[in-house]
Amino acid sequence: MTEQFADDLLAWFDQYAADLPWRRTADSYSIWLAEIMLQQTQVATVTRYYERFLERFPTLADLAAAPLDEVLKLWEGLGYYSRARHLHRAAQMVIDDYGGQMPRTAEALQKLPGVGRYTAGAIASIAFGEAVPAVDGNVIRVLARLYDIPDDAAQPATKNALWARAGALVPARRAGDYNQALMELGRTVCRPHRPACDICPVQPHCRSYAAGTQAERPAKTRRASTPHYDVAAGVIHGTGAHAGRILIAQRPLDGLLGGLWEFPGGKQERGESLPDTLKRELREELAIEVEVGDCLVQVKHAFTHFKITLHAYECMHTGGEPVARGAAAFAWATPDEMDGYAFGKADQAIIKALREKPFRLL
Ligand code: SF4
């Protein structure tokens, strides 16, 4: 990217820049106020509030002397009220600590409450002509396209790299106009969807235009969708000495839901029916055989990194004395006795269904 880039951008800005009230002033307080208001609010809304605010508090000293309640009242409807509180506090700091003079560099401005890296860059360049960048969301998009950057722009390392590139591009002369031009280009021409490349003043410099990758820039890492598993669980009715009781198992102490009790079962494998999953898991975990009956209830549950649908089947115990192979322990319990065991949320839904449906022999 060359000086020609800044010249082309500024020539476009000179011809097409929107006429906004804060562009007609060189007063640092007014420019600061506009930048704070523009942080989370659309230009059209800011224009109304900006003029009203300046009528009531024409100077930084007026703002610093006002009660906070009045400042907040004037901010009402703009939202993000911490901006108003910070602005008020910062105005008082400028009066008390800086002798009423706004700091003139981006570095010093960042010491004021509510003034981050972007706002500091914008104020320092627009009000004081410091050749520093001001990188907002619009500028990130423009730069990611200009340089055809394939890295995820949401990552801090990519953002820092974009700030560095932005810094190298800022011209020594008219830095404030240049920063505003870049933001305006992002807002009006290099829009998120369907950028207007045909009328773009910096199209000859744009690498993603040349590569046809505008729609993929800024690059975003596709988040892997949350995996989903089907899990079969057995509500295993005992026979003989265990008639009227249901077999429950305690999860291994060191894993997910460690130490909680559950209706035993496991994850369905590819090509397996849910009843077959259940028979296999019960053999592996508890060394028992069951006859699988109807599905009692299906419960959907989300864990941090995956989701499950738990299919609870009524089963009859048909063979083998349980052995705690894959479980920490097991117990035969009546539905009422289950209150004395700690179950996870999904298994509690099975208990509820169990109590609501009359017990049926298979
Ligand atoms: Fe954005 Fe298109 Fe201009 Fe490149 S040519 S900066 S993609 S509007």
Side-chain angles (χ1 to χ4, degrees):
M1 224 60 65
T2 60
E3 274 173 27
Q4 189 61 47
F5 170 78
D7 289 347
D8 290 347
L9 185 64
L10 283 165
W12 169 80
F13 188 67
D14 289 342
Q15 199 174 351
Y16 297 105
D19 178 27
L20 300 170
W22 46 90
R23 288 191 179 151
R24 294 178 216 134
T25 178
D27 172 44
S28 58
Y29 161 65
S30 306
I31 290 165
W32 173 30
L33 174 67
E35 285 302 330
I36 298 293
M37 286 187 166
L38 286 164
Q39 277 171 7
Q40 270 115 348
T41 311
Q42 301 279 324
V43 168
T45 312
V46 166
T47 306
R48 286 199 316 275
Y49 279 83
Y50 172 82
E51 287 175 337
R52 211 164 50 119
F53 200 94
L54 282 178
E55 270 168 34
R56 172 62 191 87
F57 307 121
T59 67
L60 192 139
D62 295 322
L63 174 61
L68 177 61
D69 281 352
E70 201 182 336
V71 178
L72 291 173
K73 187 72 194 153
L74 217 53
W75 204 270
E76 210 170 69
L78 258 185
Y80 301 98
Y81 292 89
S82 60
R83 291 184 294 175
R85 280 195 299 276
H86 286 146
L87 187 70
H88 184 238
R89 176 81 200 97
Q92 292 174 332
M93 273 176 71
V94 172
I95 296 294
D96 296 344
D97 304 343
Y98 295 84
Q101 297 297 311
M102 282 274 288
R104 297 176 68 88
T105 64
E107 197 183 338
L109 281 160
Q110 283 190 66
K111 299 202 169 83
L112 296 175
V115 180
R117 195 177 180 188
Y118 159 77
T119 309
I123 300 169
S125 60
I126 299 168
F128 304 115
E130 191 185 7
V132 286
V135 180
D136 69 351
N138 285 320
V139 173
I140 284 180
R141 181 171 59 256
V142 175
L143 293 178
R145 286 171 174 166
L146 277 172
Y147 290 100
D148 197 22
I149 291 173
D151 306 318
D152 184 350
Q155 294 298 321
T158 316
K159 271 195 188 151
N160 284 336
L162 286 168
W163 269 90
R165 286 189 188 256
L169 281 176
V170 182
R173 211 175 55 81
R174 298 187 67 193
D177 284 347
Y178 167 87
N179 279 336
Q180 292 187 82
L182 206 53
M183 287 183 246
E184 183 134 326
L185 185 79
R187 199 168 58 81
T188 60
V189 177
C190 194
R191 301 170 302 227
H193 303 291
R194 283 187 281 140
C197 303
D198 291 347
I199 56 159
C200 177
V202 296
Q203 187 212 83
H205 308 277
C206 182
R207 292 183 193 163
S208 56
Y209 176 78
T213 54
Q214 305 96 307
E216 293 135 50
R217 304 287 178 259
K220 290 192 189 90
T221 311
R222 201 180 290 277
R223 281 185 196 280
S225 58
T226 314
H228 171 270
Y229 304 111
D230 284 293
V231 175
V235 177
I236 305 162
H237 296 273
T239 54
H242 301 303
R245 293 174 182 275
I246 289 162
L247 186 63
I248 55 175
Q250 188 180 30
R251 294 180 64 86
L253 304 182
D254 54 355
L256 179 76
L257 305 175
L260 291 184
W261 288 78
E262 67 175 4
F263 294 90
K267 208 193 307 177
Q268 184 180 36
E269 289 188 352
R270 196 183 285 269
E272 199 176 45
S273 72
L274 285 164
D276 284 347
T277 298
L278 195 49
K279 287 181 183 175
R280 175 181 54 74
E281 287 281 345
L282 294 174
R283 244 176 250 134
E284 289 169 5
E285 256 184 60
L286 293 162
I288 59 167
E289 298 295 330
V290 295
E291 187 181 335
V292 180
D294 293 339
C295 185
L296 173 70
V297 67
Q298 288 178 331
V299 184
K300 290 189 185 301
H301 190 70
F303 294 93
T304 315
H305 300 298
F306 62 95
K307 294 177 183 172
I308 63 163
T309 302
L310 186 61
H311 307 261
Y313 284 88
E314 300 225 57
C315 302
M316 287 299 293
H317 178 211
T318 56
E321 274 307 306
V323 180
R325 282 180 183 160
F330 67 87
W332 290 99
T334 66
D336 285 345
E337 286 170 350
M338 288 178 191
D339 287 341
Y341 296 86
F343 286 88
K345 212 169 173 183
D347 287 82
Q348 282 174 16
I350 300 177
I351 297 175
K352 185 165 176 277
L354 187 59
R355 286 174 177 161
E356 284 168 1
K357 281 197 180 176
F359 172 63
R360 265 176 299 119
L361 274 175
L362 297 169

